[in-house]
Amino acid sequence: MPTRHDGRAPDTLRPVAIDLDPPSSAAGKAMISAGNTVVLCTASIDDDVPPWMAGRGRGWVTAEYSMLPGSTGDRKRRDRGPKLDGRTSEIQRLIGRSLRAAVNLEGLGERTVTVDCDVLRADGGTRTASITGAFVALVRALDTVGAASAAITSSVAAVSVGVVDGTPVLDLDYPEDVRAEVDMNVVTTGEGEFIEVQGTGEGATFSRGQLDGMLELAGVGIEQLTALQKRTLGERWPL
Amino acid sequence: MPTRHDGRAPDTLRPVAIDLDPPSSAAGKAMISAGNTVVLCTASIDDDVPPWMAGRGRGWVTAEYSMLPGSTGDRKRRDRGPKLDGRTSEIQRLIGRSLRAAVNLEGLGERTVTVDCDVLRADGGTRTASITGAFVALVRALDTVGAASAAITSSVAAVSVGVVDGTPVLDLDYPEDVRAEVDMNVVTTGEGEFIEVQGTGEGATFSRGQLDGMLELAGVGIEQLTALQKRTLGERWPL
Amino acid sequence: MPTRHDGRAPDTLRPVAIDLDPPSSAAGKAMISAGNTVVLCTASIDDDVPPWMAGRGRGWVTAEYSMLPGSTGDRKRRDRGPKLDGRTSEIQRLIGRSLRAAVNLEGLGERTVTVDCDVLRADGGTRTASITGAFVALVRALDTVGAASAAITSSVAAVSVGVVDGTPVLDLDYPEDVRAEVDMNVVTTGEGEFIEVQGTGEGATFSRGQLDGMLELAGVGIEQLTALQKRTLGERWPL
Amino acid sequence: MPTRHDGRAPDTLRPVAIDLDPPSSAAGKAMISAGNTVVLCTASIDDDVPPWMAGRGRGWVTAEYSMLPGSTGDRKRRDRGPKLDGRTSEIQRLIGRSLRAAVNLEGLGERTVTVDCDVLRADGGTRTASITGAFVALVRALDTVGAASAAITSSVAAVSVGVVDGTPVLDLDYPEDVRAEVDMNVVTTGEGEFIEVQGTGEGATFSRGQLDGMLELAGVGIEQLTALQKRTLGERWPL
Amino acid sequence: MPTRHDGRAPDTLRPVAIDLDPPSSAAGKAMISAGNTVVLCTASIDDDVPPWMAGRGRGWVTAEYSMLPGSTGDRKRRDRGPKLDGRTSEIQRLIGRSLRAAVNLEGLGERTVTVDCDVLRADGGTRTASITGAFVALVRALDTVGAASAAITSSVAAVSVGVVDGTPVLDLDYPEDVRAEVDMNVVTTGEGEFIEVQGTGEGATFSRGQLDGMLELAGVGIEQLTALQKRTLGERWPL
Amino acid sequence: MPTRHDGRAPDTLRPVAIDLDPPSSAAGKAMISAGNTVVLCTASIDDDVPPWMAGRGRGWVTAEYSMLPGSTGDRKRRDRGPKLDGRTSEIQRLIGRSLRAAVNLEGLGERTVTVDCDVLRADGGTRTASITGAFVALVRALDTVGAASAAITSSVAAVSVGVVDGTPVLDLDYPEDVRAEVDMNVVTTGEGEFIEVQGTGEGATFSRGQLDGMLELAGVGIEQLTALQKRTLGERWPL
């Protein structure tokens, strides 16, 4: 089996850690690192919902994603123009949808939780690390209002997979991501049910066999990420 | 096998047609209808490329997507604000990526092709109909400059699949889309190689078995759409 | 009498037609073609009025105008920036004012009708074709809520006239428009009363005699357009 | 003959004056007052042209229009949003077109003149007063670079006319403007050739006879305004 | 003692005047000139407060600042883009804060006063002239609703000071401002209590001794400006 | 002497630390904490300058400032709208000016350094902590291109002072800031020369004696901050 540029086997995650006490004032917070990628996830609760859903006894969960200017070697320009960058918009919609798949909006009550994922250092896989960390920040925030067990219906974690030099690999870092023929993000519950599958040929196409190979690797990775989430939250694990 | 609200079997497409002569001044044009969904696809060629890719002997293909105000029963507000709507941005990025997967950018030469997909009537599946129609408009536009056979490397078509009431179904219309537990868009080449797979649980998750079922239906549908593209283009089929 | 580049006499309209069933989901719809110019006009009713006119028992009629990217030979960039293009803004204000001149806003009740004019193919006279078609779409939309006869007080149609090579001519196409010394848009009721007169010297000035000549031609053209509107609407003609 | 609310006859202008030395640093400046309406017109010259017209040996004249917040009794909000107000856009396009009709752009050389019309006090007729004052500021600015006689081909002045209580009247003030059935702006050269005619029924229509009556009054008014321009500029009159 | 380029001693103001009747429709108005700098200050009253402070029986005072295009020799582009220029934003926040320091917001009642400072000619010191003139316009506007004595708690005036060629000087004009090593704006009450002190080294730093020297000069200047305000308002002086 | 709500004496700083290795990819980085306030400062170098200063052999230093959404207890909305918030704009202009006062732009060469100050946790004094940390990040970034000693001419540090309950105090935290009668930010070089002094009465005014008291406290604080900067940078101290 060929090894990867950093010596990992195709089915091996980068070292991953979740810090529950990064500097922040948010109700829920978690800083996740996956290799060199570091994302600060914070969750804030507002005892209100958007006007279009008021009075239905249900809450809402939304997400924002941003890369700090220093997160990349060449400075990343801030998303301050009148137009939100298309990639940013896509990612934050994905994070929001993924979290909502794990939340009972009735159990949440008429509250809005906004989860912010701010990338401090980017080395591939920022959107999937954001989702995995965001779930932990969300649980912590809901805990502060005693709503975690009523609102959380499953755990959520995500990982990237891809095809590099014809071989499916797990958890691509940035140099691999640039060379990948296929890039795929998989979000599942802790039980392995799919929430979101997004695979894209990057100037290439992919076969059914490669798709199956990538899905299998994603399952391997997410199992480990779910175990880390559970270990990190300890007795706060809401399920 | 349960029938659907419009009487179709789970693996049946809506009636689909491609009109090569809709009213438009664009170099390439195709109006596609899939059931009640109607999209006007036009392709314009600019003998220039964006500054960041000038002088490399390669071209570029990009896409824009828009829904006309009258395309929906409740008037759809125009995307005129300073912020492009996130959904619109996602869709036009998807269309552009899908088309580029079928184009040899060197063979295109230093030209930019912009494919516009304007939805005249929306009844589900507008983004996949856009891709299928956009491919035809693209070929027609490239034909006018004699570049179709050098630039086109495969055909592209797309279809939506989903899970409705627990059953995988092909080519959802709007009423089905609203009720679907899972919504998936599949883009492939005419040979069935994947270009893009995007599956989303809508407040629900999906199993591996359901994923496999949806992929199979997509294959069935795209085969028919590719045949229609080929029949419509006739001797202009570039492959 | 000199003939024009397309063989028409100075006082002859281009072939004009109104299709009552173009693909659209709007309550009222009409696709008008005048020569190669084609405009899709759709009218949507909202059972509400802008905040500043609520509670006065009156409705409102407004219009939007847009050219599709493929409507011109060189692709027309979409009006998506933060600033609405000045020409677009002028035209949609003109369409809205012209329609309101034919509507009894009390008879309309507390409703807002938005008429959208989307140009599919542009060959001169798009704003006047928009007005003529918009009136038909407006009547159709009001018909669906049984308000046409109470709200409509007269018919409205419009035509362009101009001075080309020193001669007043009716209904300029794009090549004539580019060469015209004077460009004038005339909007009247079916009875020939003026609603709007806008004449502009294009790098030239015009005499009182030329103004009178253009107004006479406009009268000739609008009489035929009104007859077409009436014939098209048949028994739905609200007057 | 009925008199008007301020005692004027239908064919009488309000007192009008042009001050050549208002506080401003611009190359050309003129403050025009027509009754209570006061507009500061300033013209600035840039030895450059917009990119799209460089290298053709021709110049450009453009205009901007703005109402100061204190120009109206209820504070006028500044045009600072991302969208330029439609009315403002229309007026500044009209001023620019009107001035260009009087300028030989080749004679101007590769320069851009921007004429700014800032309304200090608004009491009706601000756009026509702007045009009349702007012509004077333009001449003064061109004088500073010795280009007035080569660039100016005719004088330009403008006035509003309208129908109030069924009678055509000249130079409406704000209270008349609010009540007018028809509002018309007429721009002509000093010789009375038309540059622009814009007549609008305000919730009413107008007959050919009323149109003729308004055009006649406009001629009377503009003759006096042209005489004032000439008297004010004295030996700087460029024609 | 060295004299300045215009012959003034270091502690001498430019000639300053306040005109209470400039052309404007605002409730309160004052045109201040300081040397060649001329600012039109107008104050408008709205019998309402921003939503976030409604129902507390208090009012609000806010300010806007703008330079007319002709106020500078090279035309100043209007602040019309989506982003308000940083300098403009800073200045109007400063003017608003300075005025509020002199107003009892309870005494004002539930009203909003907006003070607009529009620079007609700029020759240095526009922000401090704006503050000194704005106070006069504010008093005049409050007078029209009989609220001046209840709302005004002190007078406010401002002046610029700086270090030029190592020497502290009072009331810099534009040529001095460009050359200044330090630029400082001082706002005080009529009694000399500080409201705002903003000193900035322009590519240079400044010592404690220079700071003290500048503060002393500012005191000298503001005393004269306060006397002028009092003399101008005469019996309307509210204190 | 009264003690403060957190037990500090009026002339005592909060505990302050600078971490040279926070997670970031920027060339220069420093995370500064002052009490609970934490700011991530990163400096990126671009081998280019803005167009308006190209070809003069000089560089440029600019800054951006932002608060992360989780930095405050109530979620702070991102600065993503078309208008940059006035406060943000003011602060980033202050940071940029302060750093440039310590840099020889010729010594920097034709490079642009952008220093980003992202507030992770806000508890008062974020703008002054940003300046103190930004200087360290700037030195580190210049070090990577060997330009620190040629470009840096002095050190820069900043602190806030204020008047709380009539007493001048050093380094206000958020609860003090809210209650302060006067708020002042002082930026100086390591030698104590002033770069910027900004004092604002918050609904109150201040006397010369209070101003002197605050300036003295600022000197005490900045001396300690400069010592910390020097100690942290060790042999990389560029002076």
Side-chain angles (χ1 to χ4, degrees):
Chain A
M1 190 165 17
T3 53
R4 295 156 75 178
H5 79 105
D6 61 356
R8 279 188 288 155
D11 63 352
T12 308
L13 289 176
R14 290 177 287 176
V16 55
I18 300 175
D19 171 3
L20 289 180
D21 195 28
S24 174
S25 300
K29 52 188 179 177
M31 185 153 70
I32 185 166
S33 55
N36 285 321
T37 290
V38 180
V39 186
L40 175 60
C41 304
T42 57
S44 307
I45 298 180
D46 185 359
D47 289 330
D48 209 346
V49 286
W52 54 270
M53 51 181 312
R56 300 199 226 153
R58 309 176 57 203
W60 189 242
V61 176
T62 184
E64 295 193 3
Y65 168 95
S66 185
M67 294 176 72
L68 265 68
S71 65
T72 50
D74 284 343
R75 181 174 182 272
K76 178 92 176 76
R77 187 187 285 267
R78 290 176 197 273
D79 250 338
R80 272 184 176 165
K83 258 188 181 175
L84 191 58
D85 171 61
R87 176 184 171 271
T88 298
S89 162
E90 253 182 67
I91 295 176
Q92 57 191 29
R93 283 157 56 91
L94 169 64
I95 301 171
R97 273 200 314 271
S98 297
L99 293 176
R100 287 192 298 273
V103 170
N104 174 349
L105 296 175
E106 278 79 15
L108 178 55
E110 293 218 344
R111 294 182 180 106
T112 299
V113 188
T114 305
V115 184
D116 289 282
C117 299
D118 286 276
V119 179
L120 300 187
R121 196 161 53 200
D123 187 29
T126 62
R127 81 186 71 186
T128 49
S130 292
I131 292 169
T132 305
F135 175 74
V136 175
L138 173 65
V139 170
R140 297 283 300 197
L142 291 176
D143 243 23
T144 63
V145 294
S149 55
I152 301 288
T153 58
S154 68
S155 68
V156 183
V159 79
S160 78
V161 284
V163 176
V164 178
D165 299 335
T167 306
V169 293
L170 175 64
D171 189 21
L172 289 69
D173 63 12
Y174 184 71
E176 288 178 322
D177 192 52
V178 167
R179 293 175 49 220
E181 293 105 54
V182 186
D183 180 26
M184 190 165 195
N185 295 294
V186 179
V187 187
T188 78
T189 65
E191 294 78 37
E193 291 288 293
F194 292 104
I195 293 172
E196 189 99 21
V197 172
Q198 297 191 338
T200 303
E202 304 283 353
T205 59
F206 53 107
S207 67
R208 180 60 197 266
Q210 289 175 318
L211 175 58
D212 289 347
M214 291 187 286
L215 291 172
E216 190 177 334
L217 289 177
V220 169
I222 290 180
E223 195 176 324
Q224 297 173 39
L225 293 167
T226 302
L228 173 64
Q229 289 175 323
K230 193 168 180 179
R231 210 160 54 235
T232 304
L233 284 169
E235 60 184 24
R236 295 176 192 277
W237 184 250
L239 297 167
Chain B
M1 188 164 17
T3 53
R4 297 155 76 179
H5 79 106
D6 60 356
R8 279 188 288 155
D11 63 353
T12 307
L13 290 176
R14 292 177 285 177
V16 56
I18 299 175
D19 170 3
L20 289 181
D21 195 28
S24 173
S25 300
K29 51 190 180 177
M31 186 154 69
I32 185 167
S33 55
N36 285 321
T37 289
V38 180
V39 185
L40 175 60
C41 303
T42 58
S44 308
I45 298 182
D46 184 359
D47 288 329
D48 209 348
V49 286
W52 55 269
M53 51 181 314
R56 299 199 226 154
R58 307 175 57 202
W60 189 241
V61 176
T62 184
E64 295 194 1
Y65 168 95
S66 186
M67 294 175 72
L68 265 69
S71 64
T72 50
D74 284 344
R75 179 174 183 272
K76 177 93 177 71
R77 185 188 286 268
R78 289 174 199 273
D79 248 340
R80 273 184 175 166
K83 256 188 182 178
L84 190 58
D85 170 59
R87 175 184 171 275
T88 298
S89 163
E90 254 183 67
I91 293 176
Q92 56 190 31
R93 284 157 56 90
L94 169 63
I95 300 171
R97 272 199 317 269
S98 298
L99 293 176
R100 286 192 298 275
V103 171
N104 174 350
L105 297 175
E106 278 80 15
L108 178 56
E110 294 218 345
R111 296 184 179 104
T112 299
V113 188
T114 304
V115 184
D116 290 282
C117 299
D118 287 275
V119 179
L120 300 187
R121 194 161 53 200
D123 186 30
T126 62
R127 80 185 72 186
T128 49
S130 292
I131 291 169
T132 304
F135 176 74
V136 176
L138 173 65
V139 170
R140 297 283 299 196
L142 291 177
D143 243 23
T144 64
V145 294
S149 56
I152 301 290
T153 59
S154 68
S155 69
V156 184
V159 80
S160 79
V161 286
V163 176
V164 178
D165 298 334
T167 305
V169 293
L170 174 65
D171 189 21
L172 290 67
D173 64 11
Y174 185 70
E176 287 178 323
D177 193 53
V178 167
R179 294 176 47 221
E181 295 105 56
V182 185
D183 179 26
M184 191 165 194
N185 295 295
V186 179
V187 187
T188 78
T189 65
E191 294 78 37
E193 291 288 292
F194 293 104
I195 293 172
E196 191 98 21
V197 172
Q198 296 191 339
T200 303
E202 304 283 353
T205 59
F206 53 107
S207 67
R208 181 60 196 266
Q210 289 174 316
L211 175 58
D212 289 346
M214 290 187 286
L215 291 172
E216 191 176 334
L217 289 177
V220 169
I222 291 180
E223 197 176 322
Q224 297 172 38
L225 294 167
T226 301
L228 173 64
Q229 290 175 322
K230 196 168 177 177
R231 209 161 53 234
T232 304
L233 283 169
E235 60 184 24
R236 294 178 192 277
W237 184 250
L239 298 167
Chain C
M1 190 165 19
T3 53
R4 296 155 77 178
H5 79 105
D6 60 355
R8 278 189 287 156
D11 62 352
T12 307
L13 289 176
R14 291 178 285 177
V16 56
I18 299 174
D19 171 3
L20 289 180
D21 195 29
S24 173
S25 301
K29 52 189 178 177
M31 186 154 69
I32 184 167
S33 55
N36 285 320
T37 290
V38 179
V39 185
L40 176 59
C41 304
T42 57
S44 308
I45 299 182
D46 186 358
D47 288 329
D48 209 346
V49 286
W52 53 270
M53 51 182 311
R56 298 200 227 154
R58 308 176 57 203
W60 188 241
V61 176
T62 184
E64 295 194 2
Y65 168 94
S66 186
M67 294 175 73
L68 264 69
S71 64
T72 50
D74 284 343
R75 180 175 182 271
K76 178 93 177 72
R77 186 189 285 269
R78 288 175 199 274
D79 249 339
R80 272 183 174 167
K83 257 188 183 178
L84 190 59
D85 172 59
R87 176 185 170 274
T88 299
S89 163
E90 255 182 65
I91 294 176
Q92 56 190 29
R93 285 157 55 91
L94 169 64
I95 301 171
R97 272 200 315 270
S98 297
L99 294 176
R100 287 193 298 274
V103 171
N104 174 349
L105 297 175
E106 277 80 14
L108 179 55
E110 294 218 345
R111 296 183 178 106
T112 299
V113 187
T114 304
V115 183
D116 289 283
C117 299
D118 287 274
V119 179
L120 300 187
R121 196 162 51 200
D123 186 30
T126 62
R127 81 186 69 187
T128 48
S130 292
I131 291 168
T132 305
F135 175 73
V136 175
L138 173 65
V139 170
R140 298 282 299 196
L142 290 177
D143 243 22
T144 65
V145 294
S149 54
I152 301 289
T153 58
S154 67
S155 68
V156 184
V159 80
S160 79
V161 285
V163 176
V164 178
D165 299 333
T167 306
V169 293
L170 174 65
D171 189 21
L172 289 68
D173 63 13
Y174 184 71
E176 287 179 322
D177 193 51
V178 167
R179 294 177 48 221
E181 294 106 55
V182 186
D183 180 24
M184 191 164 195
N185 295 295
V186 179
V187 187
T188 78
T189 65
E191 294 78 38
E193 291 289 293
F194 292 104
I195 293 172
E196 190 97 21
V197 172
Q198 296 191 340
T200 302
E202 303 284 352
T205 57
F206 52 107
S207 66
R208 180 60 199 265
Q210 289 175 319
L211 176 57
D212 289 346
M214 291 187 286
L215 291 173
E216 190 176 335
L217 289 177
V220 169
I222 291 180
E223 194 175 324
Q224 297 171 39
L225 294 167
T226 301
L228 173 65
Q229 289 174 324
K230 194 166 178 179
R231 208 160 56 234
T232 304
L233 284 169
E235 61 183 24
R236 294 178 192 277
W237 184 251
L239 298 168
Chain D
M1 191 165 16
T3 53
R4 297 155 75 179
H5 79 105
D6 60 357
R8 280 189 287 155
D11 63 352
T12 307
L13 289 177
R14 291 177 286 176
V16 56
I18 299 175
D19 170 3
L20 289 180
D21 196 28
S24 173
S25 299
K29 50 189 179 178
M31 187 153 70
I32 184 167
S33 55
N36 285 322
T37 289
V38 180
V39 185
L40 175 59
C41 304
T42 58
S44 307
I45 298 181
D46 186 357
D47 289 329
D48 211 347
V49 286
W52 54 271
M53 49 181 315
R56 299 201 225 153
R58 307 176 58 203
W60 189 241
V61 176
T62 185
E64 295 194 1
Y65 167 95
S66 185
M67 294 176 73
L68 264 68
S71 64
T72 49
D74 283 344
R75 182 176 181 271
K76 177 92 176 73
R77 187 188 285 268
R78 288 176 199 273
D79 248 339
R80 271 183 176 166
K83 257 189 184 177
L84 191 59
D85 171 59
R87 176 185 171 274
T88 298
S89 163
E90 253 182 64
I91 293 176
Q92 55 190 31
R93 284 158 54 91
L94 169 64
I95 301 171
R97 271 199 317 270
S98 297
L99 294 176
R100 286 193 297 275
V103 170
N104 174 350
L105 296 175
E106 278 79 15
L108 178 57
E110 292 218 346
R111 296 182 179 105
T112 300
V113 188
T114 305
V115 183
D116 290 282
C117 299
D118 287 274
V119 179
L120 301 187
R121 196 162 51 200
D123 186 29
T126 62
R127 81 185 70 186
T128 48
S130 292
I131 291 169
T132 305
F135 175 74
V136 176
L138 173 64
V139 170
R140 297 283 299 196
L142 290 177
D143 243 22
T144 65
V145 294
S149 54
I152 300 290
T153 58
S154 68
S155 69
V156 183
V159 79
S160 79
V161 285
V163 176
V164 178
D165 299 334
T167 306
V169 293
L170 174 65
D171 188 22
L172 290 67
D173 63 13
Y174 185 71
E176 287 178 322
D177 192 52
V178 167
R179 295 176 47 221
E181 295 106 55
V182 186
D183 180 24
M184 190 165 196
N185 295 294
V186 179
V187 187
T188 78
T189 64
E191 294 77 38
E193 291 288 294
F194 292 104
I195 293 172
E196 189 98 21
V197 171
Q198 295 191 339
T200 303
E202 305 282 353
T205 58
F206 53 107
S207 66
R208 180 61 198 266
Q210 288 174 319
L211 175 58
D212 289 346
M214 290 187 287
L215 291 172
E216 190 177 336
L217 289 177
V220 169
I222 291 180
E223 194 176 325
Q224 296 172 39
L225 294 167
T226 301
L228 173 65
Q229 289 174 323
K230 193 167 179 180
R231 208 159 56 234
T232 304
L233 283 169
E235 61 184 24
R236 293 176 193 279
W237 184 250
L239 298 168
Chain E
M1 190 166 15
T3 53
R4 297 156 75 178
H5 79 105
D6 60 356
R8 279 188 289 156
D11 63 351
T12 307
L13 289 176
R14 291 178 285 177
V16 55
I18 299 174
D19 171 2
L20 289 181
D21 195 28
S24 173
S25 300
K29 51 188 178 176
M31 185 154 69
I32 185 167
S33 56
N36 284 321
T37 290
V38 179
V39 186
L40 175 60
C41 304
T42 57
S44 307
I45 298 180
D46 185 359
D47 288 328
D48 209 347
V49 287
W52 54 269
M53 52 182 311
R56 299 199 225 153
R58 308 176 57 203
W60 189 242
V61 177
T62 186
E64 294 194 2
Y65 168 95
S66 186
M67 294 175 72
L68 265 69
S71 64
T72 51
D74 285 343
R75 182 175 181 272
K76 179 92 177 72
R77 186 188 285 269
R78 289 176 198 272
D79 250 339
R80 272 183 176 168
K83 256 187 180 177
L84 191 59
D85 170 60
R87 175 184 171 273
T88 298
S89 164
E90 255 183 64
I91 293 176
Q92 57 191 31
R93 285 158 54 91
L94 169 64
I95 300 171
R97 273 199 315 271
S98 297
L99 294 176
R100 287 193 297 275
V103 170
N104 175 349
L105 296 175
E106 277 80 14
L108 178 56
E110 293 219 344
R111 294 181 180 109
T112 299
V113 187
T114 304
V115 183
D116 289 282
C117 299
D118 287 275
V119 179
L120 300 188
R121 195 161 54 200
D123 186 30
T126 62
R127 81 185 71 186
T128 48
S130 292
I131 292 169
T132 304
F135 176 73
V136 175
L138 172 65
V139 170
R140 297 283 299 197
L142 291 177
D143 244 24
T144 64
V145 294
S149 55
I152 300 290
T153 58
S154 68
S155 68
V156 184
V159 79
S160 80
V161 286
V163 176
V164 178
D165 299 333
T167 305
V169 294
L170 175 65
D171 189 20
L172 289 68
D173 64 13
Y174 184 70
E176 288 179 322
D177 193 51
V178 168
R179 294 176 48 220
E181 294 105 55
V182 186
D183 179 26
M184 191 165 195
N185 294 294
V186 179
V187 187
T188 78
T189 65
E191 294 77 39
E193 291 288 293
F194 292 104
I195 292 172
E196 191 97 21
V197 172
Q198 295 191 341
T200 302
E202 304 283 353
T205 58
F206 52 107
S207 67
R208 180 60 197 266
Q210 289 175 318
L211 176 57
D212 290 347
M214 290 187 287
L215 291 172
E216 190 175 335
L217 288 178
V220 169
I222 291 180
E223 196 176 322
Q224 296 172 39
L225 293 167
T226 302
L228 173 65
Q229 290 174 322
K230 194 167 179 179
R231 209 160 54 236
T232 303
L233 284 169
E235 61 184 23
R236 294 177 193 278
W237 184 250
L239 298 168
Chain F
M1 191 165 17
T3 54
R4 295 154 76 178
H5 80 105
D6 61 356
R8 281 188 288 154
D11 63 352
T12 306
L13 290 176
R14 290 177 287 176
V16 56
I18 299 174
D19 171 3
L20 289 181
D21 196 29
S24 173
S25 300
K29 51 190 179 176
M31 186 155 69
I32 185 166
S33 55
N36 285 321
T37 290
V38 180
V39 185
L40 175 60
C41 303
T42 58
S44 307
I45 298 181
D46 185 359
D47 289 328
D48 210 345
V49 286
W52 54 270
M53 51 181 312
R56 299 201 225 153
R58 309 175 56 202
W60 188 242
V61 176
T62 184
E64 295 193 3
Y65 168 95
S66 185
M67 295 175 73
L68 265 69
S71 64
T72 50
D74 284 344
R75 181 174 182 273
K76 177 92 177 74
R77 186 188 285 267
R78 289 176 199 271
D79 248 339
R80 272 183 175 167
K83 257 188 181 177
L84 190 59
D85 171 60
R87 176 184 171 273
T88 298
S89 163
E90 253 182 66
I91 293 176
Q92 57 190 30
R93 283 158 55 92
L94 169 64
I95 300 170
R97 272 199 317 269
S98 297
L99 293 175
R100 285 193 297 274
V103 170
N104 174 349
L105 296 175
E106 276 80 15
L108 177 56
E110 293 218 345
R111 294 183 179 106
T112 299
V113 188
T114 305
V115 184
D116 289 283
C117 298
D118 286 275
V119 179
L120 301 187
R121 195 162 52 202
D123 186 29
T126 62
R127 79 185 72 186
T128 49
S130 292
I131 292 169
T132 304
F135 176 73
V136 175
L138 173 64
V139 170
R140 297 282 300 196
L142 291 177
D143 243 24
T144 64
V145 294
S149 55
I152 300 290
T153 58
S154 68
S155 69
V156 184
V159 79
S160 78
V161 285
V163 175
V164 179
D165 299 334
T167 304
V169 294
L170 175 64
D171 189 21
L172 288 69
D173 63 12
Y174 185 71
E176 287 179 322
D177 193 51
V178 167
R179 294 176 47 220
E181 295 106 54
V182 187
D183 180 25
M184 189 165 197
N185 294 295
V186 179
V187 187
T188 78
T189 66
E191 295 78 37
E193 292 287 294
F194 293 104
I195 292 171
E196 190 98 21
V197 172
Q198 295 191 340
T200 302
E202 305 283 353
T205 58
F206 53 107
S207 67
R208 179 62 196 264
Q210 288 175 319
L211 175 58
D212 290 347
M214 290 188 286
L215 290 172
E216 190 176 336
L217 288 177
V220 169
I222 290 180
E223 194 175 325
Q224 296 172 39
L225 294 167
T226 301
L228 173 64
Q229 289 175 323
K230 193 167 179 180
R231 209 160 55 235
T232 304
L233 284 169
E235 59 184 26
R236 293 177 194 276
W237 183 250
L239 298 167

